[in-house]
């Protein structure tokens, strides 16, 4: 989809996701991750109805152009309560126009209202675009190191 400059400059309306948003969110996620996982999204939306969890969408002219998912988690690995961002995607036609920042800011506001003072996320080391975005939002390396082992060895 080609979007002209005037459309790209519009401020997005950020709101809580609904079941009607799932097809577009699933498509945006699949385009970003190259993985189809509709069942995951349906389950995530069901869970988002509980306290401390949110899925927010960015909408321009009644079209979903991005989303962010997050939840407040507490005491895993000794960590006091904090907000975790699990997913963020913006339609490529709307990138570099502040949509991801609007979504990030809205999720951070949700976390603050939930009583936490820190936000965290985890991403692939080679995902330079996402890493650059989160760093531009003031995020930096946290106090934990993620380790893993291939169980098929």
């Amino acid at each position: 989809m080609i979007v002209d400059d005037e459309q790209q400059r519009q401020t997005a309306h950020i709101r809580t996701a609904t079941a009607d948003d799932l097809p577009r969110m699933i498509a945006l996620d699949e385009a970003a991750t190259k993985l189809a996982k509709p069942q995951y999204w349906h389950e995530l939306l069901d869970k988002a109805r509980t306290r401390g969890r949110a899925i927010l969408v960015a909408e321009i002219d009644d079209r979903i152009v991005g989303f962010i998912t997050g939840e407040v988690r507490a005491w895993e690995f000794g960590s006091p309560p904090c907000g975790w961002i699990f997913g963020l995607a913006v339609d490529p036609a709307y990138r570099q126009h502040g949509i991801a920042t609007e979504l990030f800011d809205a999720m951070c506001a949700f976390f603050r209202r939930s009583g936490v003072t820190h936000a965290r996320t985890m991403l692939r080391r080679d995902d330079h675009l996402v890493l650059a975005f989160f760093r531009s939002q003031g995020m930096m390396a946290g106090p934990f190191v993620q380790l893993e082992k291939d169980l098929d060895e």
Side-chain angles (χ1 to χ4, degrees):
M1 173 181 175
I2 297 187
V3 179
D4 66 37
D5 288 339
E6 185 60 33
Q7 285 176 303
Q8 289 181 331
R9 281 192 287 272
Q10 293 176 337
T11 300
H13 170 66
I14 308 297
R15 63 173 175 76
T16 300
T18 68
D20 291 340
D21 301 324
L22 277 175
R24 179 69 177 141
M25 291 170 51
I26 290 167
L28 282 172
D29 178 62
E30 185 173 351
T33 65
K34 309 298 185 245
L35 297 170
K37 44 191 184 280
Q39 185 63 33
Y40 166 81
W41 284 101
H42 286 277
E43 291 172 8
L44 192 64
L45 186 63
D46 286 341
K47 290 178 185 176
R49 294 185 176 107
T50 63
R51 186 174 183 273
R53 295 181 178 169
I55 300 175
L56 306 175
V57 294
E59 187 175 54
I60 295 178
D61 295 330
D62 298 321
R63 177 179 169 77
I64 303 301
V65 298
F67 67 81
I68 191 166
T69 66
E71 73 177 83
V72 174
R73 304 288 303 247
W75 306 116
E76 287 90 357
F77 313 107
S79 170
C82 68
W84 276 91
I85 295 171
F86 294 117
L88 172 66
V90 174
D91 183 320
Y94 288 88
R95 287 186 186 157
Q96 306 232 346
H97 295 279
I99 304 298
T101 297
E102 289 182 61
L103 287 162
F104 180 82
D105 289 346
M107 185 60 72
C108 288
F110 168 79
F111 290 152
R112 279 187 212 94
R113 287 190 307 272
S114 298
V116 298
T117 58
H118 288 84
R120 293 189 174 127
T121 192
M122 190 180 327
L123 52 118
R124 293 182 54 90
R125 290 178 195 261
D126 62 354
D127 195 339
H128 302 291
L129 178 66
V130 175
L131 180 60
F133 169 74
F134 282 120
R135 284 191 173 157
S136 77
Q137 302 305 305
M139 295 188 89
M140 58 187 159
F144 299 96
V145 175
Q146 179 251 343
L147 302 172
E148 70 178 47
K149 175 183 174 154
D150 184 349
L151 299 178
D152 290 331
E153 291 181 345

